């Protein structure tokens, strides 16, 4: 255990240098964890709310459209006026638009009542995959509804029960809709029925279009094209949603990794430089060790152990600090989208990777500097003061 | 039966380049044979090449010419690994400046020489304590070098050199940093090792009183060895 004892003594002897080295590891690792988790949170803000319902763009009108209808609250603070459903057929002719699905969402106090076209099973306010009990709607359905599981439990609704919103509906399916689903409603009914039963009688009208594009790279371009073509319309994309999530570092995960890896490389170089200075200060000691029969590998092990110990301490503290920072950053995600993303937790794999990078950095720095130390000729090393 | 030579040095040279001064021959065509069990002392003024010669004999430095045969092994033909084994198993060094590791206790400074061997932790500990006790430092085993007197530090350095039971002990100015009384004590320890365990000792020094402990004296000046000792080299009556 001499090498370990020696390493601990050296670390204690060079407190300042050790502290600086460890601080380097802490900064690199905690930054990595914070950035990656924040980026993941931001990407979730960007993608999950829309992607979970298979759409890229939500189209709506914030000003009355002729023929005028009554506005309905939709997502959070967005207010959408009804527009003619045939508009969506025109939208489907726009380049890069794969489909435009009609939605009529009506809100009465806290209750949200949504009309959907059940023939659209890939992009819709609620998808068949959300069914946990009963069945999905069909185009021929009349006064039947899907109800949200939470709402059903609160109101003791089961299959066959009756739920009331402007009319009575028989519950044929219970759906589990994630809090991240921006279209989360209490009741889903066939669109023509909703148009028929609402007091405003918005026959042939909808107040949202869910638009799917041909590729993720076309989303922003298509949204702009739609707003240009229909000047009074507004679009909501993943990026718009992310901007409403305050307090989040708006970078993607690839960028976060790139920054983190660059930081890790800088840390390795810094630690190598620092360890080389340590080796330079201990040249005579290394000469003594070689004179009394230590081999090059003994010397390499010795110096590398010191560096690895620093890497381990730095990695553990970096992970702990990263966990705290990332927890704080993630707790701020949500904002305008109602804390819907609080489900994001710190990934233990990221912590492990952070710790691993710290260890590897310690090993690389240790091996490089110890290799330099091992090459010293004993007599030259002994001559140093 | 004649004693075999444990050290054989032939035409050994070491040349340094010193900037505009050109080449300096620290060791110049030295030939030397040291029979096993001999206590050889090489006297000479500072800069005469004594330490360089000792470093070459111990495999700490590489010669510019000539060869060193140590216990039958020609050093220049050994690999780095084999040279490490020679330094670990056949040679024990004692330096003028003690060269102890400052963060290690006396005990650990001895143990560190045993660390690369196959000995267990307990064996290393017992051997180190036994050695320290043999030079009266049993009670000082856990003291750091800075807490020891110069004589005590040199005794630790000597037992570190003894740790691996080397057949050759190389002493580089072992009394250089000590007063005469302490210096004599150090030489007595080396003398006993030479007499009782048959270790071959080569000491380089400019302290004349070493004569009383040695059985062969040589003189070195300007990198060359002489068997005649100039009287002025003795600083004090023997």
């Amino acid at each position: 255990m001499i090498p370990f004892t020696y390493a601990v003594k050296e670390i204690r002897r060079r407190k300042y240098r050790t502290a600086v080295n460890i601080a380097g590891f802490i900064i690199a690792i905690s930054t990595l964890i914070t950035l990656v988790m924040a980026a993941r949170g931001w990407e979730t803000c960007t993608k999950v709310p829309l992607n979970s319902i298979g759409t890229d763009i939500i189209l709506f009108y914030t000003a009355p459209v002729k023929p005028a209808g009554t506005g309905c609250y939709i997502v959070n603070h967005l207010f959408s006026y009804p527009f003619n459903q045939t508009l969506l057929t025109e939208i489907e002719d726009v380049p890069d638009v794969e489909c435009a699905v009609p939605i009529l969402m009506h809100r009465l106090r806290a209750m949200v009542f949504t009309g959907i076209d059940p023939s659209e099973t890939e992009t819709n306010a609620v998808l068949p995959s959300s069914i946990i009990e009963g069945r999905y709607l069909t185009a021929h359905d009349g006064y039947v509804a899907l109800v949200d599981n939470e709402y059903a439990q609160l109101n003791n609704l089961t299959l066959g029960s009756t739920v009331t919103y402007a009319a009575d509906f028989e519950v044929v399916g219970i759906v589990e809709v994630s809090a991240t689903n921006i279209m989360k409603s209490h009741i889903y009914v066939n669109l023509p029925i909703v148009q028929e039963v609402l007091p405003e009688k918005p026959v042939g009208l909808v107040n949202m279009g869910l638009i799917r594009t041909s590729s993720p790279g076309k989303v922003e371009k298509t949204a702009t094209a739609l707003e240009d073509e229909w000047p009074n319309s507004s679009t909501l994309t993943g990026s718009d949603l992310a901007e409403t999530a305050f307090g989040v570092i708006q970078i993607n995960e690839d960028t976060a990794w790139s920054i983190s890896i660059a930081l890790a490389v800088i840390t390795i170089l810094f630690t190598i430089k620092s360890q080389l200075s340590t080796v330079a200060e201990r040249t005579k000691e290394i000469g003594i060790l070689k004179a009394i029969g230590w081999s090059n590998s003994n010397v390499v092990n010795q110096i590398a152990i010191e560096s690895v110990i620093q890497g381990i301490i730095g990695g553990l503290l970096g992970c702990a600090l990263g966990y705290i920072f990332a927890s704080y950053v993630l707790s701020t995600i949500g904002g305008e989208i109602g804390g819907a993303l609080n489900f994001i937790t710190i990934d233990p794999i990221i912590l492990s990777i952070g710790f691993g990078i710290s260890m590897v950095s310690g090993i690389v720095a240790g091996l490089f500097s110890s290799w330099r130390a091992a090459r010293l000729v004993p007599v030259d090393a002994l001559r140093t003061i | 039966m004649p004693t075999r030579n444990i050290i054989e040095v032939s035409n050994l040279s070491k040349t340094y380049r010193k900037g505009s001064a050109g080449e300096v021959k620290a060791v110049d065509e030295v030939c030397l044979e040291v029979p096993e069990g001999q206590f050889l002392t090489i006297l000479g003024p500072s800069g005469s090449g004594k330490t360089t010669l000792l470093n070459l004999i111990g495999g700490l430095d590489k010669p510019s010419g000539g060869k060193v045969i140590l216990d039958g092994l020609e050093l220049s033909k050994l690999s780095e690994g084999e040279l490490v084994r020679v330094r670990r198993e056949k040679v024990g060094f004692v330096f003028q400046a003690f060269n102890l590791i400052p963060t290690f206790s006396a005990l650990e400074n001895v143990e560190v020489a045993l660390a690369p061997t196959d000995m267990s932790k307990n064996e290393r500990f017992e051997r180190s304590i036994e050695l320290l006790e043999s030079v009266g430092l049993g009670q000082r085993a856990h003291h750091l070098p800075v807490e020891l007197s110069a004589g005590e530090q040199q005794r630790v350095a000597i037992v570190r050199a003894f740790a691996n039971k080397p057949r050759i002990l190389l002493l580089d100015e072992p009394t250089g940093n000590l007063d005469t009384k302490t210096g004599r004590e150090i030489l007595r320890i080396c003398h006993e090792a030479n007499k009782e365990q048959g270790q071959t000792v080569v000491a380089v020094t400019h302290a004349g009183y070493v004569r009383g402990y040695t059985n062969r004296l040589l003189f070195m000046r300007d990198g060359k060895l002489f068997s005649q000792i100039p009287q002025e080299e003795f600083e004090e009556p023997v």
Side-chain angles (χ1 to χ4, degrees):
Chain A
M1 285 301 283
I2 281 276
F4 186 74
T5 311
Y6 193 4
V8 171
K9 280 174 185 280
E10 282 304 317
I11 284 171
R12 286 168 63 184
R13 176 161 68 150
R14 292 166 214 280
K15 289 190 183 77
Y16 175 73
R17 196 184 295 282
T18 303
V20 170
N21 286 354
I22 290 175
F25 286 118
I26 292 173
I27 291 168
I29 304 310
S30 59
T31 307
L32 180 149
I33 292 165
T34 308
L35 278 183
V36 172
M37 291 312 301
R40 196 169 281 187
W42 181 72
E43 285 195 333
T44 309
C45 287
T46 310
K47 292 172 182 169
V48 171
L50 299 187
N51 289 4
S52 63
I53 51 173
T55 190
D56 298 313
I57 302 167
I58 299 175
L59 181 129
F60 57 99
Y61 277 83
T62 54
V65 185
K66 289 188 177 179
T70 306
C72 309
Y73 277 102
I74 55 162
V75 187
N76 296 301
H77 303 293
L78 301 176
F79 192 77
S80 181
Y81 285 89
F83 55 89
N84 203 314
Q85 193 176 336
T86 55
L87 176 68
L88 295 172
T89 316
E90 292 175 46
I91 285 174
E92 282 184 333
D93 293 333
V94 171
D96 298 317
V97 170
E98 281 202 340
C99 70
V101 177
I103 300 289
L104 180 57
M105 188 179 259
H106 194 268
R107 184 180 287 230
L108 189 63
R109 289 186 287 277
M111 280 286 286
V112 182
F113 179 63
T114 298
I116 62 169
D117 175 359
S119 62
E120 297 287 352
T121 54
E122 287 181 24
T123 297
N124 217 328
V126 67
L127 299 173
S129 56
S130 303
I131 293 286
I132 56 168
E133 214 180 324
R135 64 171 176 86
Y136 194 61
L137 297 176
T138 69
H140 309 293
D141 276 334
Y143 286 75
V144 297
L146 304 177
V147 293
D148 176 62
N149 188 33
E150 252 176 75
Y151 177 71
Q153 287 182 0
L154 275 173
N155 294 280
N156 296 321
L157 296 173
T158 55
L159 294 180
S161 301
T162 299
V163 61
T164 304
Y165 189 101
D168 289 340
F169 299 93
E170 182 195 346
V171 176
V172 294
I174 296 185
V175 290
E176 183 73 64
V177 179
S178 161
T180 62
N181 186 339
I182 202 162
M183 293 283 132
K184 186 174 171 74
S185 305
H186 298 95
I187 304 165
Y188 304 86
V189 174
N190 244 348
L191 178 62
I193 306 295
V194 173
Q195 289 167 331
E196 189 181 294
V197 300
L198 284 179
E200 297 86 354
K201 301 290 177 199
V203 177
L205 300 180
V206 293
N207 61 358
M208 271 181 284
L210 303 184
I211 294 157
R212 192 171 72 231
T213 59
S214 56
S215 77
K218 308 277 188 186
V219 174
E220 297 305 323
K221 192 180 151 204
T222 308
T224 309
L226 293 174
E227 287 185 356
D228 289 347
E229 185 68 27
W230 291 277
N232 295 323
S233 69
S234 295
T235 57
L236 183 72
T237 63
S239 304
D240 299 328
L241 277 176
E243 281 169 18
T244 68
F246 60 82
V248 183
I249 304 162
Q250 296 188 2
I251 55 170
N252 65 37
E253 194 169 334
D254 288 345
T255 313
W257 276 112
S258 304
I259 294 170
S260 303
I261 298 299
L263 259 175
V265 170
I266 292 168
T267 305
I268 292 174
L269 294 176
F270 174 79
T271 314
I272 288 174
K273 173 82 180 64
S274 180
Q275 284 292 93
L276 284 176
S277 303
T278 306
V279 166
E281 285 168 12
R282 292 162 59 187
T283 302
K284 186 161 188 171
E285 280 178 37
I286 292 165
I288 296 167
L289 294 173
K290 294 189 80 169
I292 62 174
W294 277 44
S295 64
N296 288 350
S297 59
N298 293 141
V299 173
V300 167
N301 288 345
Q302 178 56 51
I303 310 279
I305 284 173
E306 289 172 33
S307 189
V308 170
I309 289 175
Q310 292 176 12
I312 290 173
I313 296 171
L316 289 174
L317 293 177
C319 284
L321 217 59
Y323 184 88
I324 293 166
F325 287 158
S327 300
Y328 171 74
V329 170
L330 291 176
S331 72
T332 66
I333 296 177
E336 290 295 305
I337 49 175
L341 298 169
N342 288 344
F343 69 95
I344 302 170
T345 53
I346 293 167
D347 187 350
I349 293 172
I350 302 293
L351 292 177
S352 309
I353 291 173
F355 183 69
I357 287 176
S358 185
M359 279 275 291
V360 170
S361 303
I363 292 169
V364 171
L367 287 179
F368 184 78
S369 50
S370 57
W371 172 72
R372 289 278 296 265
R375 285 170 61 211
L376 291 167
V377 177
V379 73
D380 292 337
L382 284 168
R383 277 198 199 105
T384 57
I385 298 165
Chain B
M1 189 175 143
T3 316
R4 75 177 186 111
N5 292 323
I6 194 162
I7 301 171
E8 291 175 57
V9 172
S10 48
N11 302 318
L12 192 67
S13 298
K14 180 68 185 181
T15 306
Y16 294 106
R17 291 185 188 282
K18 286 204 170 174
S20 57
E23 290 188 341
V24 174
K25 276 200 164 182
V27 175
D28 189 4
E29 297 285 327
V30 166
C31 293
L32 172 69
E33 288 176 348
V34 183
E36 192 163 15
Q38 189 172 71
F39 192 136
L40 166 68
T41 299
I42 300 172
L43 291 171
S46 293
S48 59
K50 306 185 300 288
T51 298
T52 305
L53 176 62
L54 209 63
N55 289 338
L56 292 169
I57 291 173
L60 293 186
D61 205 354
K62 288 193 163 68
S64 309
K67 62 182 178 184
V68 176
I69 298 173
L70 215 64
D71 200 14
L73 300 169
E74 189 178 335
L75 299 189
S76 60
K77 290 184 177 169
L78 299 182
S79 65
E80 179 59 30
E82 289 167 331
L83 210 52
V84 166
R85 285 185 79 88
V86 166
R87 289 199 289 260
R88 186 188 305 158
E89 294 167 7
K90 295 194 184 295
V91 180
F93 269 97
V94 176
F95 305 93
Q96 178 181 359
F98 321 135
N99 284 347
L100 299 178
I101 293 170
T103 47
F104 274 18
S105 67
L107 175 69
E108 288 163 340
N109 263 290
V110 181
E111 278 188 305
V112 82
L114 299 167
T117 66
D118 296 333
M119 291 173 91
S120 69
K121 192 179 176 186
N122 278 348
E123 287 169 333
R124 283 204 306 261
F125 175 81
E126 282 168 15
R127 169 97 179 123
S128 304
I129 285 288
E130 180 193 333
L131 284 165
L132 287 169
E133 282 173 348
S134 73
V135 293
L137 289 176
Q139 299 299 313
R140 310 283 279 163
H142 298 287
H143 287 254
L144 291 174
V146 73
E147 296 163 343
L148 302 174
S149 68
E152 287 172 329
Q153 288 185 52
Q154 192 61 304
R155 277 188 274 165
V156 174
I158 286 174
V159 294
R160 181 181 65 187
F162 288 165
N164 285 311
K165 300 179 182 169
R167 301 184 63 189
I168 301 161
L169 208 53
L170 301 175
L171 315 178
D172 183 11
E173 301 280 9
T175 61
N177 283 349
L178 306 174
D179 58 57
T180 307
K181 187 183 168 208
T182 314
R184 286 181 186 280
E185 173 62 16
I186 295 300
L187 287 171
R188 186 191 60 74
I189 294 167
C190 297
H191 183 68
E192 277 179 16
N194 171 248
K195 286 287 167 210
E196 292 167 15
Q197 293 160 40
Q199 280 173 317
T200 305
V201 180
V202 179
V204 301
T205 182
H206 55 260
Y209 59 81
V210 73
R211 195 179 185 182
Y213 302 92
T214 193
N215 44 31
R216 185 182 175 197
L217 274 175
L218 292 172
F219 180 69
M220 194 163 190
R221 176 177 281 162
D222 299 330
K224 291 182 180 295
L225 267 185
F226 304 93
S227 52
Q228 283 293 109
I229 315 293
Q231 189 55 44
E232 66 269 22
E233 283 304 316
F234 294 102
E235 296 165 343
E236 55 184 296
V238 178

